[in-house]
mmCIF file of all heavy atoms in Angstrom:
data_model
loop_
_atom_site.group_PDB
_atom_site.id
_atom_site.type_symbol
_atom_site.label_atom_id
_atom_site.label_comp_id
_atom_site.label_asym_id
_atom_site.label_seq_id
_atom_site.Cartn_x
_atom_site.Cartn_y
_atom_site.Cartn_z
ATOM 1 N N SER U 80 13.971 20.198 2.164
ATOM 2 C CA SER U 80 14.467 20.576 0.820
ATOM 3 C C SER U 80 15.486 21.676 0.839
ATOM 4 O O SER U 80 16.438 21.687 0.051
ATOM 5 C CB SER U 80 13.267 20.924 -0.097
ATOM 6 O OG SER U 80 12.575 22.047 0.462
ATOM 7 N N HIS U 81 15.284 22.708 1.700
ATOM 8 C CA HIS U 81 16.233 23.832 1.765
ATOM 9 C C HIS U 81 15.958 24.619 3.022
ATOM 10 O O HIS U 81 15.139 24.248 3.864
ATOM 11 C CB HIS U 81 16.120 24.706 0.492
ATOM 12 C CG HIS U 81 14.777 25.312 0.223
ATOM 13 N ND1 HIS U 81 13.671 24.564 -0.109
ATOM 14 C CD2 HIS U 81 14.355 26.584 0.255
ATOM 15 C CE1 HIS U 81 12.631 25.387 -0.328
ATOM 16 N NE2 HIS U 81 13.028 26.608 -0.094
ATOM 17 N N THR U 82 16.732 25.698 3.207
ATOM 18 C CA THR U 82 16.756 26.361 4.502
ATOM 19 C C THR U 82 15.663 27.436 4.703
ATOM 20 O O THR U 82 15.580 28.006 5.770
ATOM 21 C CB THR U 82 18.114 27.045 4.717
ATOM 22 O OG1 THR U 82 18.373 27.984 3.694
ATOM 23 C CG2 THR U 82 19.225 25.987 4.780
ATOM 24 N N HIS U 83 14.847 27.733 3.705
ATOM 25 C CA HIS U 83 13.786 28.678 3.913
ATOM 26 C C HIS U 83 12.841 28.169 5.061
ATOM 27 O O HIS U 83 12.535 26.981 5.130
ATOM 28 C CB HIS U 83 12.971 28.910 2.612
ATOM 29 C CG HIS U 83 13.634 29.832 1.689
ATOM 30 N ND1 HIS U 83 13.206 30.048 0.410
ATOM 31 C CD2 HIS U 83 14.727 30.646 1.845
ATOM 32 C CE1 HIS U 83 14.001 30.968 -0.188
ATOM 33 N NE2 HIS U 83 14.913 31.304 0.689
ATOM 34 N N GLU U 84 12.382 29.117 5.870
ATOM 35 C CA GLU U 84 11.694 28.735 7.076
ATOM 36 C C GLU U 84 10.327 28.130 6.809
ATOM 37 O O GLU U 84 9.730 27.526 7.775
ATOM 38 C CB GLU U 84 11.552 29.977 7.976
ATOM 39 C CG GLU U 84 12.900 30.486 8.476
ATOM 40 C CD GLU U 84 12.775 31.829 9.186
ATOM 41 O OE1 GLU U 84 11.669 32.383 9.266
ATOM 42 O OE2 GLU U 84 13.825 32.316 9.646
ATOM 43 N N ASP U 85 9.765 28.241 5.650
ATOM 44 C CA ASP U 85 8.513 27.519 5.357
ATOM 45 C C ASP U 85 8.772 26.110 4.900
ATOM 46 O O ASP U 85 7.846 25.374 4.522
ATOM 47 C CB ASP U 85 7.688 28.262 4.307
ATOM 48 C CG ASP U 85 8.424 28.509 3.025
ATOM 49 O OD1 ASP U 85 9.626 28.699 3.027
ATOM 50 O OD2 ASP U 85 7.754 28.485 1.927
ATOM 51 N N HIS U 86 10.046 25.632 4.991
ATOM 52 C CA HIS U 86 10.424 24.273 4.702
ATOM 53 C C HIS U 86 11.265 23.702 5.862
ATOM 54 O O HIS U 86 11.119 22.567 6.232
ATOM 55 C CB HIS U 86 11.247 24.215 3.390
ATOM 56 C CG HIS U 86 10.458 24.662 2.236
ATOM 57 N ND1 HIS U 86 9.819 23.803 1.362
ATOM 58 C CD2 HIS U 86 10.218 25.935 1.766
ATOM 59 C CE1 HIS U 86 9.235 24.528 0.433
ATOM 60 N NE2 HIS U 86 9.424 25.815 0.630
ATOM 61 N N LEU U 87 12.108 24.533 6.411
ATOM 62 C CA LEU U 87 12.931 24.167 7.603
ATOM 63 C C LEU U 87 12.298 24.791 8.830
ATOM 64 O O LEU U 87 12.642 25.920 9.192
ATOM 65 C CB LEU U 87 14.367 24.624 7.399
ATOM 66 C CG LEU U 87 15.336 24.380 8.561
ATOM 67 C CD1 LEU U 87 15.502 22.906 8.861
ATOM 68 C CD2 LEU U 87 16.730 24.996 8.263
ATOM 69 N N ASP U 88 11.382 24.092 9.421
ATOM 70 C CA ASP U 88 10.651 24.569 10.628
ATOM 71 C C ASP U 88 11.351 24.001 11.825
ATOM 72 O O ASP U 88 11.080 22.876 12.301
ATOM 73 C CB ASP U 88 9.188 24.078 10.547
ATOM 74 C CG ASP U 88 8.343 24.584 11.723
ATOM 75 O OD1 ASP U 88 8.898 25.122 12.665
ATOM 76 O OD2 ASP U 88 7.096 24.460 11.643
ATOM 77 N N GLU U 89 12.311 24.762 12.377
ATOM 78 C CA GLU U 89 13.130 24.248 13.474
ATOM 79 C C GLU U 89 12.341 23.991 14.752
ATOM 80 O O GLU U 89 12.668 23.080 15.501
ATOM 81 C CB GLU U 89 14.278 25.237 13.741
ATOM 82 C CG GLU U 89 15.255 25.311 12.579
ATOM 83 C CD GLU U 89 16.543 26.020 12.945
ATOM 84 O OE1 GLU U 89 16.669 26.504 14.119
ATOM 85 O OE2 GLU U 89 17.457 26.086 12.107
ATOM 86 N N ARG U 90 11.280 24.731 14.971
ATOM 87 C CA ARG U 90 10.447 24.494 16.169
ATOM 88 C C ARG U 90 9.788 23.142 16.058
ATOM 89 O O ARG U 90 9.632 22.414 17.080
ATOM 90 C CB ARG U 90 9.404 25.605 16.299
ATOM 91 C CG ARG U 90 9.995 26.942 16.741
ATOM 92 C CD ARG U 90 8.950 28.027 16.760
ATOM 93 N NE ARG U 90 7.850 27.771 17.670
ATOM 94 C CZ ARG U 90 6.789 28.544 17.822
ATOM 95 N NH1 ARG U 90 6.660 29.638 17.071
ATOM 96 N NH2 ARG U 90 5.843 28.258 18.701
ATOM 97 N N LEU U 91 9.353 22.763 14.894
ATOM 98 C CA LEU U 91 8.745 21.449 14.697
ATOM 99 C C LEU U 91 9.825 20.348 14.776
ATOM 100 O O LEU U 91 9.657 19.358 15.462
ATOM 101 C CB LEU U 91 8.032 21.396 13.366
ATOM 102 C CG LEU U 91 7.378 20.099 12.866
ATOM 103 C CD1 LEU U 91 8.348 19.153 12.200
ATOM 104 C CD2 LEU U 91 6.599 19.398 13.976
ATOM 105 N N LEU U 92 10.928 20.548 14.075
ATOM 106 C CA LEU U 92 11.977 19.501 14.029
ATOM 107 C C LEU U 92 12.544 19.250 15.433
ATOM 108 O O LEU U 92 12.925 18.131 15.742
ATOM 109 C CB LEU U 92 13.107 19.950 13.111
ATOM 110 C CG LEU U 92 12.756 20.130 11.613
ATOM 111 C CD1 LEU U 92 13.993 20.464 10.802
ATOM 112 C CD2 LEU U 92 12.046 18.871 11.076
ATOM 113 N N ASP U 93 12.578 20.238 16.279
ATOM 114 C CA ASP U 93 13.061 20.085 17.643
ATOM 115 C C ASP U 93 12.248 19.123 18.453
ATOM 116 O O ASP U 93 12.697 18.653 19.484
ATOM 117 C CB ASP U 93 13.162 21.447 18.350
ATOM 118 C CG ASP U 93 14.051 21.428 19.560
ATOM 119 O OD1 ASP U 93 15.127 20.828 19.504
ATOM 120 O OD2 ASP U 93 13.638 22.000 20.583
ATOM 121 N N ARG U 94 11.054 18.764 17.989
ATOM 122 C CA ARG U 94 10.178 17.874 18.726
ATOM 123 C C ARG U 94 10.157 16.450 18.139
ATOM 124 O O ARG U 94 9.465 15.596 18.599
ATOM 125 C CB ARG U 94 8.732 18.439 18.719
ATOM 126 C CG ARG U 94 8.641 19.782 19.403
ATOM 127 C CD ARG U 94 7.257 20.387 19.290
ATOM 128 N NE ARG U 94 6.272 19.583 19.999
ATOM 129 C CZ ARG U 94 4.970 19.838 20.008
ATOM 130 N NH1 ARG U 94 4.499 20.900 19.360
ATOM 131 N NH2 ARG U 94 4.140 19.044 20.657
ATOM 132 N N LEU U 95 10.934 16.215 17.071
ATOM 133 C CA LEU U 95 10.993 14.895 16.439
ATOM 134 C C LEU U 95 12.126 14.076 17.001
ATOM 135 O O LEU U 95 13.089 14.577 17.555
ATOM 136 C CB LEU U 95 11.166 15.055 14.924
ATOM 137 C CG LEU U 95 10.066 15.819 14.156
ATOM 138 C CD1 LEU U 95 10.388 15.790 12.678
ATOM 139 C CD2 LEU U 95 8.659 15.203 14.420
ATOM 140 N N SER U 96 12.021 12.750 16.800
ATOM 141 C CA SER U 96 13.065 11.863 17.266
ATOM 142 C C SER U 96 14.341 12.063 16.451
ATOM 143 O O SER U 96 14.301 12.159 15.219
ATOM 144 C CB SER U 96 12.596 10.392 17.083
ATOM 145 O OG SER U 96 13.683 9.508 17.269
ATOM 146 N N ARG U 97 15.460 12.150 17.191
ATOM 147 C CA ARG U 97 16.765 12.313 16.505
ATOM 148 C C ARG U 97 17.290 11.018 15.903
ATOM 149 O O ARG U 97 18.339 11.009 15.259
ATOM 150 C CB ARG U 97 17.810 12.858 17.501
ATOM 151 C CG ARG U 97 17.431 14.188 18.164
ATOM 152 C CD ARG U 97 16.868 15.249 17.195
ATOM 153 N NE ARG U 97 16.861 16.551 17.764
ATOM 154 C CZ ARG U 97 15.790 17.103 18.383
ATOM 155 N NH1 ARG U 97 14.647 16.413 18.480
ATOM 156 N NH2 ARG U 97 15.864 18.322 18.890
#
Side-chain angles (χ1 to χ4, degrees):
S80 60
H81 59 293
T82 59
H83 280 171
E84 294 171 359
D85 58 326
H86 300 262
L87 177 61
D88 183 348
E89 294 192 357
R90 289 175 60 184
L91 176 277
L92 297 183
D93 197 43
R94 300 175 64 183
L95 299 182
S96 169
R97 303 313 195 266

